[in-house]
Amino acid sequence: AQAGVQLNNHYSTGNSTRTGIFGLFYGIPGTYWHGILANQQSPVLIDRLQELDYQLGIFAAAQLRKPEFNQTVFARVENLRMNSEGNSPAAKDADLTADWLSWYAQKDDSKPFFSFLFYDAPHGYDFPADYPQRFEPMLEVVDYLKLDNNTDPTPFFNRYKTSVHYVDSLVGQVLDAMAAKGELDNTLVIITGDHGQEMNDNQLNFWGHNSNFTDAQVKVPFALFGPGIQATEFPRSPQAFSSHVDVAPTLLQQYLGIRNPIRDYSVGENLLTAQPERDWLLSTSYNEFAIISDQSILHVDASGQYQYLDKTNRVQKDARPNAARMQGALEQMSRFNK
């Protein structure tokens, strides 16, 4: 990551796996999920990669049937690898890495390739029993029923960090293989997460994800590196708002030859062009959404009722929602409906 650019104010399009991955590939809000699934409509990004004859290597630890990524994101990918072998998230992560290394060694080097490696160990706070790099003190077993507002999060967080360290070691194998083949220098690499994991960050007894839209659950790491990606020449501040919806239009416009205006297929921006005026972002859940700014969260539930919250998820009683932001969010969530 230090060889490229790290965006420090990057948000997932959701506080769950479904909406986080959806926004990453489609470049539109997760509220479109049901329509996309009903029509089994693949994303423009995957369509364009296939049009340009990219070799697609899709490797996920968790199975791709639930959420139904086999009927959405990867609906047109033939011979889709549906799941990994193993009796734990860590074992499945090792399996997907081994399978990717085998696929990479055998791919046609005369054609371009696109890979998606979706690790699961941090989601399950898991790592091999003999993994040497452990953060201590550590929670030995994660039992959400035993967590409350008075629980010290440090042992929980140390278990999470150990699982992330384990995945980092697997990613190292991937990058080393590309470097050994001489392809790392001409390959764009993006590292991010589908959502965050809260550990009672705001002292409201929230643990995990899919329960609110605070930074702990939707703000995620984002690093990109590759040819021409240099922090000293990056056209925008690493502190500026960025989102998963920006990834697809960046790839399509910058690398894959799409000349249409971005708004034809995405609500995002090209991360490699000048910084846009943007003071809010949209993030979604299974049936809710939130308009997120530096200072506030407008949380709208499935019935249309809303709460105006501060960044710690506490109600701002005397504040009023920003009408322009609400109008902009509704436009983003309706632009691609027919």
Side-chain angles (χ1 to χ4, degrees), residues 89-100:
K92 292 178 180 180
D93 284 355
D95 183 66
L96 87 82
T97 305
D99 281 0
W100 182 89

Side-chain angles (χ1 to χ4, degrees), residues 5-22:
V5 171
Q6 299 176 69
L7 303 184
N8 301 319
N9 212 12
H10 187 90
Y11 285 78
S12 172
T13 40
N15 59 12
S16 64
T17 294
R18 183 175 77 179
T19 48
I21 296 298
F22 181 87

Side-chain angles (χ1 to χ4, degrees), residues 122-133:
H123 196 277
Y125 314 103
D126 193 37
F127 47 87
D130 59 352
Y131 190 65
Q133 301 293 330

Side-chain angles (χ1 to χ4, degrees), residues 56-62 64 74 80-84 95-104 114-119:
L56 302 183
I58 310 302
F59 297 85
L64 295 175
F74 308 118
L80 182 64
R81 181 184 183 278
M82 294 299 297
N83 56 268
S84 294
D95 183 66
L96 87 82
T97 305
D99 281 0
W100 182 89
L101 289 169
S102 177
W103 172 85
Y104 182 72
F114 171 88
S115 290
F116 175 60
L117 288 82
F118 191 23
Y119 290 98

Side-chain angles (χ1 to χ4, degrees), residues 22 26 28 31-43 47 68 70-76 336-338:
F22 181 87
Y26 284 88
I28 59 179
T31 51
Y32 289 99
W33 167 269
H34 295 290
I36 292 290
L37 176 60
N39 290 280
Q40 298 196 17
Q41 176 64 53
S42 56
D47 290 349
E68 300 93 336
N70 64 321
Q71 299 178 55
T72 52
V73 178
F74 308 118
R76 292 184 57 198
F336 302 103
N337 287 332
K338 290 186 177 180

